[in-house]
Amino acid sequence: MRMSKEAAAASKVRIIEVASRLLRERGIEATSIADVMAAAGMTHGGFYKHFQSKDELVTAALDAAFASHVERFDRRREENGTQAALDAYVDEYLSPEHVTHAGFGCPVAALGADAGRSSAVVSSAFSRGTEDIIERYVRSAPAGSDVTTSRRAAIRRLAAMVGAVVIARGVGPGALSGEVLAAVSEMENFPLVPRPSRTS
Amino acid sequence: MRMSKEAAAASKVRIIEVASRLLRERGIEATSIADVMAAAGMTHGGFYKHFQSKDELVTAALDAAFASHVERFDRRREENGTQAALDAYVDEYLSPEHVTHAGFGCPVAALGADAGRSSAVVSSAFSRGTEDIIERYVRSAPAGSDVTTSRRAAIRRLAAMVGAVVIARGVGPGALSGEVLAAVSEMENFPLVPRPSRTS
DNA sequence: ACATTTAGATGATCGGTGACATCCTAGCAA
DNA sequence: TTGCTAGGATGTCACCGATCATCTAAATGT
């Protein structure tokens, strides 16, 4: 049965939203188009009226996941200020809820490994999104900070948090999982104590 | 045709070695048994004479990957001392070669996300291996260090390195990839500047 | 030494499922 | 009224994990 233009557009949005969640939960390879369409309340037959390929859906879903992730941060910064938004971001990121609910969590931690194995379009969507997150973090640096220094500190912190969540998810529920989250929570915000650079 | 006991055992070892590499390169879901057997120079039919299921192979391959990873560190420590082994480990970990050659790299960075989505046996194999890596790192702490402090610092460093490699792989070749590796390379070895702990 | 047993490897096959394509139909839009 | 199109039903082809009959040579018992 045919739907109105608005309803059709809403369908596409719903497909992307559902895909954005399922992909983060199950991974790219393990998520089928039929799964996504069924979760969106449709059969898989109509999928290709909205997207040309699975890759196109994955790219759209990745963009949506990064967008909602970043918007959440921006909204909190407007409401509660930069420092509060930053603290809330870190606390949420390193929470057990984030570890167990990958479907609504950071796309970097959930799909980083998958993105590296995917096609160039997916990988570049991932790259854009990651850059967006880093930028939000850099802008949260104390006023008058050196941009290069702030950026490196931001990357360092993001890397530590991504690694913590990946490890916590990988080891499954248990003591080690919480220990990892706690250890990274103790990390200082903007350190820069250089160690001798790589020689090779 | 039937082979000798030694040849059969060698076949099993070869299957595990190949699987250990392919799984890290392509991910668990994207690696088929036929792929592994073909890369090991056999057809897929004989697989079940060696393993009862794919999960059993994945577990064995994970154990092997962690073992070779840890043995490499131990060997270097015996030959060149703890500090040199530690430096070499970090340098190698954060090298572009590690990013592009996931098949021979750290199983935590390559399969962390996949392990979290897999069965309990796979997840626990991943957990054991991760704990082994952390232990090696803790033992490399300066003599007289507080064990808890050292362990948290070790976890923090491992998390940062895992995150760096995951991000570098996800964003694909480009400036950001190298930037991430460089930023984490500048991380100090054993910091412990506590920030206010999570409130929620 | 030799017959019997056993086990590694093969290739075909099975049920299930993947991505993707092709019609059909129902109803909005011109 | 009628063309257009979202989405449902169905089909194709490839591949997945797993099983099987079959072959063959190593292992084993006498």
Side-chain angles (χ1 to χ4, degrees):
Chain A
M1 45 178 155
R2 161 118 199 227
M3 312 186 80
S4 71
K5 273 188 179 179
E6 306 83 49
S11 286
K12 181 162 184 174
V13 169
R14 205 167 67 254
I15 293 172
I16 293 175
E17 280 174 354
V18 166
S20 156
R21 176 171 61 84
L22 286 185
L23 287 172
R24 279 179 279 182
E25 278 175 7
R26 309 180 189 177
I28 295 177
E29 290 276 344
T31 306
S32 75
I33 291 174
D35 286 344
V36 172
M37 293 298 281
M42 297 184 279
T43 57
H44 63 278
F47 174 81
Y48 290 92
K49 297 291 176 194
H50 294 288
F51 304 94
Q52 287 195 353
S53 66
K54 184 183 179 182
D55 256 26
E56 193 177 311
L57 170 66
V58 172
T59 305
L62 255 186
D63 285 341
F66 275 111
S68 83
H69 198 68
V70 156
E71 279 163 16
R72 184 176 173 84
F73 178 83
D74 288 347
R75 183 163 34 79
R76 262 207 280 237
R77 191 173 56 178
E78 283 175 23
E79 291 173 1
N80 307 101
T82 299
Q83 190 59 43
L86 198 64
D87 287 347
Y89 183 83
V90 172
D91 280 356
E92 272 190 12
Y93 206 110
L94 296 171
S95 70
E97 290 74 32
H98 185 205
V99 171
T100 50
H101 295 76
F104 300 98
C106 175
V108 181
L111 295 174
D114 284 29
R117 301 174 189 127
S118 299
S119 67
V121 278
V122 173
S123 190
S124 72
F126 182 86
S127 192
R128 282 196 308 274
T130 304
E131 184 62 49
D132 281 349
I133 293 180
I134 294 173
E135 275 177 20
R136 295 303 189 291
Y137 225 92
V138 170
R139 273 190 238 147
S140 305
S145 305
D146 175 54
V147 180
T148 307
T149 303
S150 300
R151 186 172 165 88
R152 295 210 158 183
I155 291 175
R156 205 153 42 235
R157 168 153 286 277
L158 177 64
M161 295 198 300
V162 168
V165 170
V166 167
I167 296 172
R169 283 180 185 152
V171 302
L176 185 52
S177 181
E179 205 180 354
V180 171
L181 297 179
V184 175
S185 292
E186 286 174 350
M187 192 171 137
E188 69 278 29
N189 257 323
F190 286 98
L192 193 75
V193 184
R195 52 183 288 278
S197 64
R198 302 183 52 242
T199 48
S200 64
Chain B
M1 46 178 154
R2 170 141 190 207
M3 311 186 81
S4 73
K5 274 188 179 178
E6 306 83 50
S11 286
K12 180 162 186 174
V13 169
R14 208 167 64 250
I15 293 171
I16 292 175
E17 280 175 353
V18 166
S20 155
R21 176 172 62 83
L22 286 185
L23 287 171
R24 280 178 280 181
E25 279 175 6
R26 310 181 188 176
I28 295 178
E29 290 277 345
T31 306
S32 73
I33 291 175
D35 284 344
V36 172
M37 294 299 279
M42 296 185 286
T43 57
H44 63 279
F47 173 80
Y48 291 90
K49 291 289 176 184
H50 294 288
F51 304 94
Q52 288 194 354
S53 66
K54 186 184 180 181
D55 256 25
E56 194 178 312
L57 171 66
V58 172
T59 304
L62 255 187
D63 285 341
F66 276 111
S68 83
H69 198 69
V70 155
E71 278 163 16
R72 184 176 173 84
F73 178 83
D74 288 348
R75 183 164 35 80
R76 261 208 280 238
R77 190 172 56 178
E78 283 176 22
E79 290 174 1
N80 305 102
T82 298
Q83 189 59 46
L86 199 64
D87 288 346
Y89 183 84
V90 172
D91 281 355
E92 271 190 12
Y93 207 110
L94 296 170
S95 70
E97 290 73 32
H98 186 205
V99 172
T100 50
H101 295 75
F104 300 98
C106 175
V108 180
L111 296 173
D114 284 28
R117 301 172 188 131
S118 300
S119 66
V121 278
V122 172
S123 190
S124 73
F126 182 86
S127 192
R128 282 196 309 275
T130 304
E131 182 63 51
D132 281 350
I133 292 180
I134 294 173
E135 276 177 19
R136 294 304 190 292
Y137 226 90
V138 171
R139 275 190 237 146
S140 304
S145 306
D146 175 53
V147 180
T148 307
T149 304
S150 301
R151 186 172 163 89
R152 296 210 157 181
I155 291 174
R156 204 153 43 235
R157 169 153 283 277
L158 178 64
M161 294 198 300
V162 167
V165 170
V166 167
I167 295 172
R169 284 182 184 149
V171 300
L176 185 52
S177 181
E179 204 179 355
V180 171
L181 297 179
V184 175
S185 292
E186 286 173 351
M187 192 171 136
E188 67 278 28
N189 258 323
F190 286 98
L192 193 74
V193 184
R195 52 182 287 279
S197 63
R198 302 181 53 241
T199 47
S200 66

